[in-house]
Amino acid sequence: MATTWMPIYGNVQVEEGVITFRPVPPPPEPSTNPAQPPHAFLRSNLQFDQGVIEWQTMVSDSSSSCQISLSTTAREDFFAGMHTLGAPFGFAKIVNGAWEEKGGVGHGTPLVPNQWYDLKLHVHGSNLDLYVNDVQMISTTSPITRGTVGLFMQGRHEIVVRNIRTVSTDPVCFVVMQFTPEYNSLYEEVIRPACERNGYKVVRADDFYHCGMIIDDVTKSIRESALIVVDVTPDNANVFYELGLAHGIGKDTILLCDRKREKLPFDISGFRTIFYENSIAGKRQVDERLEKHLINLNQQATARPTPIPKKI
């Protein structure tokens, strides 16, 4: 499918894969309240959550900004690229209509005008690495969810972007549960097939414990996963620790619980939970409900408003 870019606002020309921003000066405002520099925002038909995004950017002025935008699990937009909150290269988020820094590098060295920069963003779970001209410049963490790729440009001079392409990898679903035969059956017959049907690579914690997994490996696996599925039926300390870690870093989670448990702990009672009966019919029901939850997650990721950022 051909890539399509549509301007949401701003004076932008899209022609044969080259996006050119030609700023129109804003109306004058009082010096005590200077106008935001001209800016533009575009959305594409590229769906992305995991993998690599590559693009090339050239600015005519070192103060110009140009960033790729992605979707996050918090329904906020995440930005990566050039001239981010005063840094030549870095990350930022829009939270409640305002920019929030997520890390920047290159302070004191301005961007070189009229020179092509090759940028590459690696997204692996919550881990993000930004490369410039094949040099790894900065890393950060932020939960990314599937959604359309956007492009933000701001400045008083022309900005050109070309050769935007994505290489997607399957998102990982990390499954946390007690390791006993009844839960192994639920995993093999229901959880893994449902997640794989919806495009996830499925990993279970005991795949690593059998190899001597330690806490650093647990946290790494959770950070690198797009979704966490947790069975909270028994009071298992390891399970609840890993669930708390996933919630603490903003991961999308789906909880499973056998109806034999009388009630959930108060702190997790408000989270998305699928209750089931451990029977043949019960497994069929949990399969159907898990499928609906997975589809709903993808639909929420794509039905997003367009951000209207303030001055970066």
Side-chain angles (χ1 to χ4, degrees):
M1 181 175 64
T3 302
T4 301
W5 288 90
M6 294 298 296
I8 305 301
Y9 53 82
N11 186 30
V12 181
Q13 177 183 342
V14 182
E15 185 174 354
E16 297 183 353
V18 178
I19 301 170
T20 304
F21 170 54
R22 294 189 174 94
V24 176
E29 292 190 11
S31 59
T32 57
N33 184 26
Q36 179 177 359
H39 55 286
F41 187 82
L42 302 91
R43 281 209 183 277
S44 72
N45 62 342
L46 293 171
Q47 294 285 327
F48 181 83
D49 56 354
Q50 301 289 301
V52 179
I53 300 180
E54 298 179 340
W55 71 101
Q56 293 179 307
T57 302
M58 181 171 64
V59 298
S60 301
D61 180 78
S62 60
S63 64
S64 298
S65 301
C66 182
Q67 294 110 33
I68 289 288
S69 80
L70 303 176
S71 303
T72 74
T73 57
R75 315 307 171 213
E76 300 159 345
D77 280 78
F78 185 93
F79 293 78
M82 300 171 63
H83 204 266
T84 306
L85 296 176
F89 305 101
F91 303 111
K93 290 175 67 175
I94 291 182
V95 181
N96 297 323
W99 291 95
E100 180 180 288
E101 184 180 3
K102 293 292 291 182
V105 293
H107 297 84
T109 303
L111 299 173
V112 179
N114 303 314
Q115 171 181 299
W116 285 107
Y117 285 89
D118 296 321
L119 292 100
K120 185 183 299 183
L121 179 65
H122 288 246
V123 182
H124 190 190
S126 300
N127 297 332
L128 295 96
D129 302 293
L130 181 64
Y131 290 76
V132 181
N133 297 337
D134 291 326
V135 177
Q136 184 175 358
M137 297 293 289
I138 187 170
S139 301
T140 192
T141 59
S142 178
I144 300 298
T145 193
R146 188 165 182 79
T148 56
V149 177
L151 179 64
F152 175 74
M153 295 179 284
Q154 177 175 279
R156 303 186 185 280
H157 300 273
E158 185 175 277
I159 302 170
V160 184
V161 181
R162 69 183 185 185
N163 296 334
I164 302 175
R165 74 182 193 99
T166 62
V167 179
S168 294
T169 57
D170 289 338
V172 175
C173 173
F174 189 66
V175 180
V176 181
M177 59 182 2
Q178 188 162 289
F179 311 135
T180 57
E182 62 178 314
Y183 296 106
N184 293 343
S185 175
L186 180 67
Y187 171 73
E188 293 292 346
E189 297 175 18
V190 178
I191 298 174
R192 186 168 70 177
C195 291
E196 289 178 344
R197 286 197 305 271
N198 284 273
Y200 289 91
K201 177 183 177 182
V202 186
V203 176
R204 193 165 69 152
D206 64 328
D207 294 338
F208 301 101
Y209 282 123
H210 292 165
C211 300
M213 188 180 191
I214 59 175
I215 191 60
D216 286 346
D217 299 314
V218 173
T219 57
K220 180 176 183 291
S221 296
I222 291 176
R223 286 196 308 270
E224 293 181 351
S225 299
L227 173 68
I228 313 296
V229 174
V230 187
D231 193 298
V232 294
T233 304
D235 285 327
N236 184 295
N238 289 334
V239 168
F240 280 97
Y241 175 85
E242 291 162 28
L243 173 60
L245 177 60
H247 282 165
I249 61 176
K251 289 291 183 180
D252 273 327
T253 59
I254 297 176
L255 308 187
L256 306 178
C257 186
D258 195 317
R259 292 189 185 278
K260 69 184 181 182
R261 183 179 182 118
E262 293 184 0
K263 63 178 182 179
L264 294 176
F266 175 79
D267 287 345
I268 65 170
S269 60
F271 287 94
R272 182 186 294 113
T273 306
I274 299 173
F275 292 93
Y276 65 90
E277 295 179 359
N278 193 10
S279 63
I280 294 176
K283 288 179 180 178
R284 184 170 60 251
Q285 290 179 349
V286 74
D287 179 84
E288 294 172 354
R289 293 171 184 171
L290 179 57
E291 180 92 13
K292 290 180 180 178
H293 277 64
L294 293 170
I295 292 172
N296 185 53
L297 281 175
N298 288 333
Q299 290 176 340
Q300 288 180 358
T302 55
R304 298 169 43 78
T306 298
I308 303 178
K310 297 178 182 178
K311 182 178 179 180
I312 189 167

